[in-house]
Amino acid sequence: MNKPTILLTGGTGFLGSKLLETLVGQDYPVVLLKRTTSKLWRIDHLIKHVKSYDIDKIPLDKAFEEQKIDMVIHTACEYGRNDKPIQQIVESNILFGLKVLDACLKYNIKTFFNTDTLLPSNLNAYTLSKKQFVEWLKIKSNKVQVVNLKIELMYGIKDDSTKFIPWVISQLKKNVPKIKLTTGEQKRDFIYVEDVVSAFMTILKKTSDLQKYNEFDVGTGQLIEVKVFLEYLRKIYTSNFGTIKTKLAFGEIPYRQQEIMTVEVDNKPLIDLGWSPKMDVQQGLKEILKEYI
């Protein structure tokens, strides 16, 4: 049986590049949407194996007209860091998603995979925009099958340097005197990116068994305090690179407004499909530190 052709958005990003690598490795035909300004360092070795379209130069419809697309995996997003304008967040997380969704409806695409967050809508502009887009997916799920994956705190190799865990590692690498942190009592489900990818792949192979609208919590099911996670990170870092003076200064900065102190993760529906996480936190930290050796 021929494998479905998959259109992937956000394929040059952290999660998208890992998905692309897995899809190409398993011989799925992939159509990649990117921009002429997209940085390809994560996928240089993969780009020749896919059909790519620069959507800042070519109409989106062209990809759907020229390729027989069966499914869309939508991972492109804007996190809104560094005080990005709200308009830019909305354009990336809602309007672009709706543009792709409209194309799915127009060209009778079978399934739309969406990358969502387990965090609530009232946390920030990013989470609000993600949840607003999901409402549109629910409305249109009578015309295209929707699979919404709500991902908890994902980490791994080749993550964005601006994100929290790579930033902490960069501070350890610089051997700064201290890293100012909150008390770190927030509980999070830290999930390794390859386990997230395997969740996508597990569901992808079971779409014929699913409903028109589906949601899956993507997490290990194990909550760990941020403080404990960072202490693991520092300990493993020193075991690889030797003694450092950097102090994890817990309690020196306040929590952000509306800080989420815990999350609820129900991964049973995903486990029932045959998925299970393979990487525990300490193993995962050892893996990401290999990047710095």
Side-chain angles (χ1 to χ4, degrees):
M1 182 182 294
N2 291 333
K3 293 186 175 181
T5 297
I6 296 168
L7 181 140
L8 177 65
T9 76
T12 61
F14 175 44
L15 173 59
S17 63
K18 299 287 188 180
L19 275 164
L20 181 60
E21 188 163 39
T22 299
L23 291 166
V24 170
Q26 295 186 19
D27 297 321
Y28 282 87
V30 179
V31 179
L32 177 67
L33 299 186
K34 65 179 188 68
R35 299 182 185 279
T36 52
T37 56
S38 296
K39 296 176 181 178
L40 304 181
W41 63 275
R42 291 186 179 98
I43 63 166
D44 276 332
H45 61 301
L46 301 170
I47 196 72
K48 64 183 179 182
H49 299 291
V50 305
K51 179 64 178 177
S52 64
Y53 290 85
D54 290 325
I55 54 172
D56 54 337
K57 299 292 185 182
I58 298 172
L60 178 63
D61 274 47
K62 192 172 181 66
F64 287 86
E65 290 168 357
E66 293 186 353
Q67 310 297 323
K68 180 62 181 79
I69 296 164
D70 300 295
M71 299 180 179
V72 166
I73 299 181
H74 179 49
T75 73
C77 74
E78 170 57 64
Y79 289 104
R81 297 190 184 93
N82 301 318
D83 296 321
K84 286 279 178 68
I86 294 173
Q87 180 181 341
Q88 191 171 333
I89 297 170
V90 169
E91 285 175 352
S92 296
N93 295 348
I94 301 177
L95 298 181
F96 176 63
L98 288 175
K99 193 173 181 180
V100 176
L101 179 60
D102 277 340
C104 288
L105 301 176
K106 180 178 179 179
Y107 294 96
N108 298 313
I109 305 306
K110 177 187 172 186
T111 306
F112 187 105
F113 283 80
N114 184 54
T115 310
D116 193 10
T117 175
L118 268 166
L119 296 173
S121 62
N122 64 350
L123 182 62
N124 53 41
Y126 162 73
T127 58
L128 176 61
S129 65
K130 296 296 282 185
K131 298 307 179 184
Q132 288 175 334
F133 180 60
V134 169
E135 291 303 310
W136 283 107
L137 291 175
K138 290 177 181 177
I139 290 171
K140 295 301 181 181
S141 62
N142 62 327
K143 296 183 178 179
V144 58
Q145 184 185 46
V146 172
V147 180
N148 189 47
L149 287 85
K150 300 189 291 182
I151 301 171
E152 233 299 75
L153 209 161
M154 180 174 60
Y155 69 105
I157 292 173
K158 296 184 179 180
D159 201 351
D160 295 329
S161 60
T162 57
K163 289 167 72 172
F164 179 63
I165 296 169
W167 176 78
V168 170
I169 294 173
S170 74
Q171 298 303 292
L172 296 176
K173 189 176 179 181
K174 292 175 184 175
N175 202 12
V176 300
K178 67 179 178 180
I179 302 172
K180 293 183 179 182
L181 301 160
T182 69
T183 56
E185 295 173 331
Q186 313 97 308
K187 291 182 178 179
R188 294 289 182 268
D189 189 330
F190 293 87
I191 182 164
Y192 200 69
V193 64
E194 268 79 5
D195 283 332
V196 176
V197 170
S198 72
F200 273 88
M201 299 307 296
T202 297
I203 301 167
L204 190 154
K205 294 167 184 175
K206 299 287 184 71
T207 53
S208 60
D209 300 328
L210 300 180
Q211 305 298 316
K212 292 297 290 181
Y213 182 83
N214 311 268
E215 285 195 341
F216 293 94
D217 291 2
V218 184
T220 67
Q222 301 294 318
L223 298 185
I224 300 174
E225 285 190 357
V226 170
K227 180 178 181 179
V228 173
F229 181 88
L230 293 177
E231 287 171 339
Y232 282 151
L233 173 57
R234 190 185 187 285
K235 181 179 179 181
I236 295 168
Y237 187 93
T238 56
S239 69
N240 277 282
F241 303 107
T243 303
I244 56 173
K245 65 181 180 182
T246 303
K247 175 187 175 184
L248 299 177
F250 294 108
E252 291 211 3
I253 60 174
Y255 290 121
R256 60 186 171 181
Q257 285 189 334
Q258 300 177 311
E259 179 66 70
I260 307 302
M261 296 308 294
T262 190
V263 292
E264 293 184 11
V265 181
D266 179 12
N267 63 6
K268 186 177 184 300
L270 194 48
I271 289 171
D272 288 345
L273 285 184
W275 175 84
S276 62
K278 306 300 182 189
M279 190 79 75
D280 68 31
V281 162
Q282 295 195 51
Q283 288 175 310
L285 289 172
K286 288 176 183 176
E287 285 298 312
I288 63 174
L289 288 176
K290 289 178 182 177
E291 235 182 330
Y292 299 85
I293 294 175

